[in-house]
């Protein structure tokens, strides 16, 4: 059950062992759009999820699906969605604000019912807009109307057969794929080609699922072709990929805390950019089947690093705040440029409150090495989790310098890290309500 406005206290303790085991959970950024994609299947979809999987954002999307007439059940290791009857119901503002992925209802509902209306979307407050989404829908034959508080779309005219996204946005790519599935051109038997698409593994996962329910979609690098086909409605069981950002967080934690971390059930082959940063500071990294082993005990802290985030397969923006914590523990200045989400900087305040020397100027985050510190002289500090990854970065920073803290809005972190208290406990931190 989601907790809102949650405040926690975090007490870092000495680590009892320097080898930690984690298990990657179902990917947040795969399951959320998959749940919405399930609206395109006029039947039942059973998503197999990892044991104990629980995220605030999943609860938020489930509530949104209910407003559209879909039925959603949770069992220990499954999320079941019956989308036999779907209507373009309008989600209450409070519900849509809980997740940015309410935006995807536009494409999915237009595809299924011909029209959609949503209140302005929520999610992390990291300066995102929705112009690519509305532009795509217009190109795909929709009349789109925006007010200060809502966006509506309805099928109106023929879709273009070739559409180029202005940027490989993950959400806009997914919305475009959803809306393409039943666009006028598709019904006339012509394929729709989308260019400059996002090719994040989570997009591939959604495409795989849509193919399982009967769509014919092919992706080649940044080009996606959607062939004329409709889902007929059948029961589908689908297992989403595991979370590369959660896995990347624990991989970077190995270097931050100077420990060895083994993440089981990790998604192979989609963390190369993170692994290459770890290699550059002499962390030993190895794969054994689906287990990712990162040995941070050998981390070379003498140099700083310079990293730019970029769309997949580049270094992920979601790990940028966690990377900043790693940089704080290096002995020379580092720079980070987030080309994907240049406004993802709110977390910097929390790291500063935890003694971090970080500046941000014209799109470049500069991280200075920690001065010599005496943890014993530090009292608990009050922080705010401004967003999901920023909140996780604050936790890792607190563990890095063994300084207790109290974090307001910790529910932000629960939007994307399943069973995080258990993981933090493994890393020596005790989370308690405050
Ligand atoms: N953008 C626009 N206009 C739009 C859409 C996007 O200018 O209409 C800009 C954004 O402001 C951003 C860039 O394009 O600067 C990329 O945004 P994108 O659309 O790719 O992001 P998203 O689909 O909203 C998903 C993830 C994010 C992740 C980004 C980038 C989910 C639920 N969210 O968001 O995840 O950071 O892709 O990889 O899949 C997170 O997990 O912490 C998180 C924020």
């Amino acid at each position: 059950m989601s907790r809102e406005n949650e405040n926690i206290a975090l007490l870092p303790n000495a680590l009892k062992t320097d080898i930690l085991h984690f298990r990657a959970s179902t990917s947040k950024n795969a399951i959320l759009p998959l749940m919405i994609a399930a609206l395109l299947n006029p039947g039942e979809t059973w998503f197999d999820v990892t044991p104990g999987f629980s995220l605030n954002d999943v609860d938020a999307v489930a509530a949104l699906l209910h407003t559209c007439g879909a039925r959603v059940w949770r069992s220990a290791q499954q999320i079941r969605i019956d989308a036999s009857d779907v209507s373009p119901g309008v989600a209450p503002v409070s519900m849509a604000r809980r997740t940015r992925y309410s935006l995807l209802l536009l494409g999915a509902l237009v595809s299924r019912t011909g029209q959609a209306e949503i209140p302005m979307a929520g999610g992390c407050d990291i300066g995102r807009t929705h112009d690519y989404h509305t532009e795509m829908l217009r190109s795909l034959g929709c009349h789109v109307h925006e007010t200060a508080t809502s966006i509506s779309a309805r099928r109106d005219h023929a879709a273009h057969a070739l559409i180029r996204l202005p940027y490989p946005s993950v959400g806009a790519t997914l919305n475009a794929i959803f809306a393409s599935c039943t666009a006028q051109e598709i019904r006339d038997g012509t394929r729709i080609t989308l260019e400059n698409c996002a090719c994040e593994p989570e997009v591939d996962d959604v495409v795989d699922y849509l193919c399982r329910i009967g769509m014919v979609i092919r992706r080649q690098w940044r080009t996606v072709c959607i062939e004329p086909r409709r889902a007929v409605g059948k029961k589908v069981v689908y297992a989403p990929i595991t979370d590369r950002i959660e896995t990347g967080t624990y991989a970077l934690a190995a270097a931050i805390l100077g420990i060895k971390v083994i993440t089981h059930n990790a998604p192979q082959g989609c963390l190369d950019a993170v692994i290459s940063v770890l290699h550059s500071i002499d962390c030993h990294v190895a794969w054994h089947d689906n287990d990712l082993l990162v040995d941070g005990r050998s981390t070379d802290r003498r140099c700083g690093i310079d990293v730019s985030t970029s769309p997949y397969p580049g270094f992920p923006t979601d790990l940028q705040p966690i990377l900043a914590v790693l940089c704080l523990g290096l002995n020379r200045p580092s720079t980070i440029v987030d080309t994907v989400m240049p406004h993802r900087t709110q977390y910097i305040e929390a790291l500063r409150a935890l003694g971090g020397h970080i500046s941000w100027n014209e799109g470049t985050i500069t991280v200075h090495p920690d001065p010599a510190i005496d943890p014993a002289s530090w009292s608990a500090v009050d922080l705010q989790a401004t967003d999901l990854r920023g909140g996780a970065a604050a936790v890792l920073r607190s563990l890095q310098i063994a300084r207790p803290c109290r974090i307001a809005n910790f529910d932000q972190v629960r939007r994307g890290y399943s069973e995080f208290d258990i993981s933090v406990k493994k890393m020596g931190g005790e989370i308690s309500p405050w």
Side-chain angles (χ1 to χ4, degrees):
M1 192 39 122
S2 301
R3 288 167 269 188
E4 286 185 42
N5 302 324
E6 183 190 0
N7 299 333
I8 60 111
L10 171 63
L11 182 66
N13 297 310
L15 272 169
K16 293 195 180 71
T17 163
D18 61 359
I19 303 179
L20 303 183
H21 292 260
F22 296 99
R23 176 163 285 275
S25 315
T26 295
S27 162
K28 165 184 92 77
N29 289 351
I31 188 70
L32 300 180
L34 279 166
M35 288 173 73
I36 294 174
L39 290 177
L40 273 66
N41 180 25
E44 274 192 34
T45 301
W46 294 10
F47 292 115
D48 289 335
V49 294
T50 48
F53 181 65
S54 162
L55 295 180
N56 284 1
D57 271 13
V58 167
D59 297 341
V61 170
L64 283 173
L65 295 183
H66 275 296
T67 64
C68 312
R71 294 188 299 155
V72 186
W73 304 266
R74 280 297 313 254
S75 65
Q77 290 188 42
Q78 263 181 348
I79 299 170
R80 297 181 186 179
I81 299 170
D82 180 353
S84 306
D85 295 309
V86 167
S87 56
V90 185
V93 178
S94 57
M95 223 177 251
R97 285 212 185 285
R98 284 170 61 194
T99 170
R100 176 170 171 81
Y101 262 32
S102 50
L103 263 177
L104 294 190
L105 283 179
L106 286 174
L109 284 176
V110 158
S111 199
R112 186 68 196 279
T113 69
Q115 55 179 310
E117 181 176 343
I118 59 156
M120 283 300 171
C124 284
D125 181 18
I126 46 182
R128 291 180 287 179
T129 54
H130 57 262
D131 49 328
Y132 304 157
H133 296 255
T134 45
E135 204 176 305
M136 275 307 97
L137 290 168
R138 287 187 176 106
S139 303
L140 284 162
C142 294
H143 172 81
V144 180
H145 181 66
E146 294 178 61
T147 68
T149 52
S150 70
I151 315 171
S152 60
R154 85 182 134 71
R155 280 259 184 262
D156 183 58
H157 48 276
H160 298 176
L162 175 67
I163 300 169
R164 188 172 172 79
L165 274 81
Y167 180 85
S169 147
V170 174
T173 297
L174 291 166
N175 236 339
I177 292 173
F178 292 165
S180 297
C181 284
T182 54
Q184 190 65 42
E185 289 290 334
I186 295 281
R187 292 209 290 271
D188 292 350
T190 317
R191 91 159 51 125
I192 288 181
T193 302
L194 305 170
E195 290 183 341
N196 202 28
C197 291
C199 53
E200 267 67 2
E202 296 79 14
V203 173
D204 276 351
D205 213 28
V206 174
V207 167
D208 282 351
Y209 165 76
L210 291 173
C211 292
R212 286 281 302 283
I213 64 170
M215 308 295 180
V216 179
I217 305 173
R218 293 185 190 85
R219 180 180 73 75
Q220 226 183 4
W221 184 225
R222 295 203 179 280
T223 301
V224 175
C225 292
I226 298 112
E227 302 284 347
R229 189 73 72 89
R230 258 178 188 274
V232 285
K234 54 180 180 180
K235 186 179 136 190
V236 172
V237 181
Y238 191 82
I241 53 174
T242 53
D243 202 304
R244 66 190 168 101
I245 304 302
E246 180 194 33
T247 305
T249 300
Y250 299 136
L252 292 173
I256 292 169
L257 304 175
I259 54 174
K260 181 169 165 179
V261 164
I262 301 164
T263 307
H264 304 281
N265 203 25
Q268 277 255 19
C270 52
L271 281 159
D272 291 356
V274 179
I275 290 171
S276 97
V277 168
L278 290 167
H279 278 153
S280 75
I281 49 172
D282 277 0
C283 288
H284 173 69
V285 183
W287 283 97
H288 296 297
D289 299 322
N290 285 337
D291 295 345
L292 176 64
L293 180 153
V294 180
D295 196 342
R297 294 173 299 187
S298 56
T299 306
D300 181 354
R301 301 187 189 274
R302 288 173 298 178
C303 295
I305 50 179
D306 302 300
V307 175
S308 284
T309 73
S310 51
Y312 187 82
F315 191 93
T317 169
D318 297 335
L319 288 175
Q320 183 260 100
I322 314 289
L323 183 71
V325 179
L326 170 58
C327 295
L328 283 168
L330 303 178
N331 296 336
R332 307 281 302 164
S334 302
T335 61
I336 304 173
V337 177
D338 194 335
T339 71
V340 180
M341 302 242 175
H343 301 293
R344 197 193 275 271
T345 52
Q346 290 89 335
Y347 74 91
I348 288 177
E349 267 320 302
L351 297 193
R352 280 186 182 146
L354 282 163
H357 291 224
I358 309 186
S359 55
W360 179 58
N361 190 22
E362 293 185 359
T364 301
I365 298 166
T366 306
V367 187
H368 302 275
D370 272 334
I373 46 176
D374 173 12
S377 66
W378 280 5
S379 55
V381 62
D382 288 332
L383 312 169
Q384 168 113 351
T386 50
D387 63 273
L388 156 59
R389 308 299 169 189
V395 168
L396 285 170
R397 172 65 179 166
S398 160
L399 298 175
Q400 181 185 40
I401 59 169
R403 183 171 187 177
C405 60
R406 290 179 289 259
I407 307 181
N409 292 343
F410 197 70
D411 42 294
Q412 283 288 341
V413 180
R414 300 200 192 284
R415 292 184 39 227
Y417 289 92
S418 184
E419 301 191 298
F420 199 52
D421 301 35
I422 298 173
S423 301
V424 171
K425 192 170 184 138
K426 287 180 185 172
M427 294 186 279
E430 200 67 53
I431 289 180
S432 54
W434 161 55

